[in-house]
Amino acid sequence: MSEPIRLLLADDHRHAREGMRTIVSAVPDFLVVGEATSGEEALAMAGGLQPDLILMDINMPGMGGLEAVKAIKSEYPSIKIIMVTVSDDVSHLFEALKKGAQGYLLKNLNPSAWRDYLRAVALDEAPLNPELAMSILREFADRGNKGNFQAKEKEPEYGGLTPREKEILQEVARGNTNREVAISLGLSEHTVKNHLKNILQKLHLDNRVQLTRYAYERGMVETES
């Protein structure tokens, strides 16, 4: 990316924000444009600063991270949000993803893994954790076709996707990266990325989490026993 990725840090603990700032400031790819100590502050600052990414702690006083994600994505859908947590509790992370978050980071991951993941999310290339993808599958199997990410009822089945686009959607729903999809289907990463953009546009969806849900709801990915 020619311009640095603009970040807003949201955590009620000063040391946590300092740690995040230290990690992302180690390379010129990132620029911290603001820091918030609550969900309310994050929402207010998101509008004025228009960051590319928000690093959001799940547990904060007042408006917590989950509520803040929903509010921010409702007002500013183009802003990407990554949850930052000390636990990989699937239920909390799943709730955040359903409310619009693009992914999550564990606070104990090494700095290079943080930076690689942030770049991938900014470029819409971050894969869904396979375990989380399976949790999404199971929940949708239990709930049927209810949910916020459902495609419009009057749309044709699979949204008019081509056979190749269906293949790519299935690979993404299994948690594969763009590179893994490219290798599996004998395509270039650039071609896969272009197909993904077309798929998102056709289905009126925003990210890989929503694509995963779409595929599972329509039985495009088999449930493992």
Side-chain angles (χ1 to χ4, degrees), residues 42-212:
L43 174 59
M45 296 176 74
L49 297 174
Q50 289 293 310
D52 300 307
L53 291 174
I54 298 177
L55 298 185
M56 181 82 71
D57 185 30
I58 286 183
N59 298 308
M60 292 186 288
M63 180 189 286
L66 296 178
E67 293 81 7
V69 169
K70 183 177 180 180
I72 291 171
K73 295 299 288 188
S74 175
E75 292 287 332
Y76 314 105
S78 64
I79 296 178
K80 297 180 174 66
I81 302 176
I82 298 175
M83 308 309 294
V84 181
T85 176
V86 295
S87 170
D88 57 356
D89 184 333
V90 170
S91 61
H92 281 157
L93 298 172
F94 188 31
E95 280 302 313
L97 294 171
K98 287 198 296 182
K99 293 179 186 300
Q102 271 65 44
Y104 67 93
L105 279 168
L106 297 177
K107 290 185 177 182
N108 61 359
L109 286 179
N110 67 67
S112 62
W114 266 59
R115 292 189 288 266
D116 289 345
Y117 188 73
L118 293 177
R119 292 188 191 95
V121 171
L123 295 171
D124 294 319
E125 294 179 355
L128 197 63
N129 180 292
E131 292 182 1
L132 192 58
M134 185 55 60
S135 296
I136 293 176
L137 185 155
R138 293 192 181 111
E139 172 153 327
F140 299 156
D142 292 338
R143 295 188 179 187
N145 290 330
K146 297 178 181 179
N148 295 329
F149 300 150
Q150 217 174 333
K152 297 177 182 178
E153 292 181 1
K154 294 185 179 180
E155 287 183 343
E157 187 176 15
Y158 303 145
L161 299 182
T162 66
R164 175 62 81 188
E165 289 169 343
K166 291 178 188 176
E167 288 180 322
I168 291 174
L169 174 53
Q170 289 169 327
E171 293 286 337
V172 169
R174 295 186 182 106
N176 292 329
T177 65
N178 286 0
R179 178 176 176 77
E180 290 168 338
V181 175
I183 293 173
S184 175
L185 300 180
L187 304 171
S188 70
E189 289 187 59
H190 180 72
T191 298
V192 170
K193 190 171 183 179
N194 284 339
H195 275 305
L196 277 173
K197 287 182 179 179
N198 291 335
I199 293 168
L200 289 168
Q201 290 176 353
K202 285 184 177 181
L203 301 181
H204 308 291
L205 301 176
D206 298 322
N207 55 52
R208 287 174 182 254
V209 176
Q210 296 181 6
L211 282 178
T212 299

